[in-house]
Amino acid sequence: MSHKPTLTDSLQFPAESKVPGALLGIGAIGLIATAIGYFLDADQFFFSYLVSFTFFSGIALSALIMVMLHHITNSSWGVVFRRISETFTANIWIWAIFIIPILFGIHNLYHWSHPELLEYGTEEYDKIVAGKSPFLNSTFFIIRQVIYFAIWGFLGYKLHKVSVQMDKTNDWGLTSLLRNISAPGILLFAFTVAFAGFDWLMSLDPHWFSTMFGVYFFSINFQAFWPVMILLVFFLHKQGLLTNTIRQVHIYDLGAWFFAFTVFYAYIAFSQFLLIYYANLPEETIWYYHRMEGGWQYLLYGSLIFRFAVPFLVLLNREAKKNRTILGAVSIMVLIVHFAEIYWIAMPTLYDHGLSFSWMDVTAFIGLGGIFFGLFFYKFKQNDMIPKNDPKLEDCLSKSYHQ
């Protein structure tokens, strides 16, 4: 008979908490303000919306792959965090609603959607865009988004539902079902996330392409996922929740993963740049050229310094991964630079004259962020905050530092 781990914390997020309602209210205000901006500058509205939508979608998608990796490897280290990730994934099918404005803004966002570019013999005819039109066309673009979110939404909903079911039934046989969902899910995830990166960001400039952009898109989002997890754990602890369940050793693990994927991000980002630089093909290098002038280069240098160099040097120290102040500060810094990097990828398409910002960048971020985390906490408080009957929970709770 297995030994049931001792849990001394309350596992319920306070039902009376006003956090979900406050976040949803803030989000609604932000989205309303951004919607007003549509009537002032439609192009700016759609680009600002796309950047923030990509930012928060990346968090949910990173949570999804983390849950599936956890199940497929049968690991124990992250059991106490898994319900946080599962909650993000459980809301993906709802979050899909927020891609609708992007679908309405295809013409404003994506140059390839202009039909005059496909009319051979006209002044506007674009041979490159016409050659890519079987893939880059509005109808197929919309179909692909439906497929992406159908796959992600199903995986996220099912993984969360089965995990909660195991809480209630104590049926450890459900771990096999979770693995059976995750194994093909990882393969589907790899393809769909890569193509989502192509669709949302890379196709903003249909003349440019990078065979590494899919994994680059994944790397920037997955690195940013760990700061979100760290800050959420700190928030829960500040509220007096799970203080004896998620201990310092578990927070150290988050810091270690954060450090690891900081290196991974830098490797992928530099590899993409190096391959394009070495090949020196005009149709490839022009994308970087436009992003290394007109003030955009400062965002690039900022990513190099504050997304790689500083986190790498700071988190290289073992003790820094245990220091909550340092982890919190580095996490906030990386999330800010993550937004700036997505901005650096997308916005030069709109601002070809140089670096520029709009108040809609802020309101879109507040609006979508409020809704995203409001939905998270609304769902989070409906179930136990950790998978209390997971067979690996005891190993996770008894974890200690490796000396």
Side-chain angles (χ1 to χ4, degrees), residues 351-366:
Y351 296 128
D352 55 4
H353 56 278
L355 179 63
S356 184
F357 298 99
S358 167
W359 59 269
M360 278 184 272
D361 299 327
V362 177
T363 58
F365 184 84
I366 292 173

Side-chain angles (χ1 to χ4, degrees), residues 90-139:
N91 288 327
I92 291 178
W93 68 274
I94 301 175
W95 184 248
I97 296 171
F98 293 93
I99 199 173
I100 292 176
I102 294 174
L103 303 182
F104 279 108
I106 288 177
H107 191 76
N108 300 79
L109 289 166
Y110 300 106
H111 186 63
W112 49 259
S113 66
H114 298 191
E116 61 271 18
L117 302 177
L118 309 180
E119 298 175 7
Y120 182 77
T122 64
E123 184 178 349
E124 293 83 7
Y125 176 73
D126 190 316
K127 182 178 180 180
I128 294 177
V129 173
K132 296 181 179 182
S133 61
F135 183 82
L136 293 180
N137 62 80
S138 298
T139 301

Side-chain angles (χ1 to χ4, degrees), residues 27-340:
I29 293 171
L31 288 181
I32 291 171
T34 310
I36 294 172
Y38 168 80
F39 299 99
L40 303 176
D41 187 340
D43 288 344
Q44 180 65 64
F45 165 82
F46 286 115
F47 272 87
S48 296
Y49 188 95
L50 175 66
V51 169
S52 290
F53 176 82
T54 302
F55 180 97
F56 293 108
S57 296
I59 295 172
L61 295 176
S62 299
L64 178 58
I65 187 62
M66 198 60 229
V67 171
M68 292 190 293
L69 287 172
H70 179 94
H71 291 308
I72 202 68
T73 58
N74 201 28
S75 61
S76 63
W77 70 269
V79 175
V80 291
F81 307 118
R82 204 181 73 222
R83 185 54 49 79
I84 297 176
S85 297
E86 288 172 345
T87 305
F88 280 128
T89 68
N91 288 327
I92 291 178
W93 68 274
I94 301 175
W95 184 248
I97 296 171
F98 293 93
I99 199 173
I100 292 176
I102 294 174
L103 303 182
F104 279 108
I106 288 177
H107 191 76
N108 300 79
L109 289 166
Y110 300 106
H111 186 63
W112 49 259
S113 66
H114 298 191
E116 61 271 18
L117 302 177
L118 309 180
E119 298 175 7
Y120 182 77
T122 64
E123 184 178 349
E124 293 83 7
Y125 176 73
D126 190 316
K127 182 178 180 180
I128 294 177
V129 173
K132 296 181 179 182
S133 61
F135 183 82
L136 293 180
N137 62 80
S138 298
T139 301
F140 193 26
F141 181 89
I142 294 172
I143 291 172
R144 288 197 301 274
Q145 308 317 305
V146 173
I147 293 172
Y148 301 157
F149 278 98
I151 292 172
W152 300 335
F154 170 78
L155 289 172
Y157 174 81
K158 192 68 175 178
L159 289 169
H160 177 266
K161 181 181 178 180
V162 174
S163 180
V164 171
Q165 184 181 350
M166 189 160 58
D167 283 353
K168 297 176 180 178
T169 64
N170 200 22
D171 180 4
W172 286 4
L174 292 174
T175 57
S176 296
L177 177 58
L178 290 168
R179 283 196 297 274
N180 291 337
I181 296 171
S182 298
I186 289 175
L187 182 62
L188 291 171
F189 176 90
F191 280 105
T192 52
V193 166
F195 277 90
F198 300 155
D199 285 345
W200 297 350
L201 296 181
M202 193 171 78
S203 73
L204 288 169
D205 185 348
H207 291 181
W208 182 73
F209 63 91
S210 167
T211 55
M212 288 192 65
F213 194 84
V215 69
Y216 168 67
F217 178 73
F218 167 76
S219 72
I220 63 174
N221 289 306
F222 204 49
Q223 188 214 12
F225 169 72
W226 300 104
V228 172
M229 292 291 288
I230 289 168
L231 293 174
L232 276 174
V233 169
F234 289 173
F235 172 79
L236 292 176
H237 279 190
K238 189 174 181 180
Q239 304 302 309
L241 302 171
L242 301 180
T243 53
N244 297 316
T245 303
I246 302 178
R247 297 179 291 109
Q248 191 65 35
V249 64
H250 302 118
I251 293 172
Y252 175 87
D253 283 342
L254 290 179
W257 279 94
F258 185 12
F259 172 77
F261 280 93
T262 293
V263 177
F264 177 75
Y265 152 76
Y267 170 72
I268 296 300
F270 180 71
S271 294
Q272 177 176 259
F273 175 82
L274 184 64
L275 287 171
I276 291 175
Y277 175 83
Y278 182 78
N280 197 29
L281 299 175
E283 62 269 26
E284 295 180 2
T285 57
I286 192 67
W287 189 85
Y288 276 103
Y289 179 81
H290 288 320
R291 286 159 178 77
M292 297 180 71
E293 63 174 1
W296 295 110
Q297 68 270 27
Y298 300 120
L299 296 184
L300 176 61
Y301 300 151
S303 294
L304 176 63
I305 296 171
F306 299 109
R307 187 161 194 174
F308 169 62
V310 173
F312 176 81
L313 294 174
V314 171
L315 297 178
L316 188 63
N317 182 279
R318 179 182 176 88
E319 296 304 313
K321 300 184 189 74
K322 304 176 185 178
N323 188 301
R324 296 182 179 225
T325 301
I326 293 175
L327 271 180
V330 174
S331 295
I332 293 171
M333 178 183 68
V334 166
L335 288 175
I336 292 172
V337 181
H338 175 53
F339 179 86

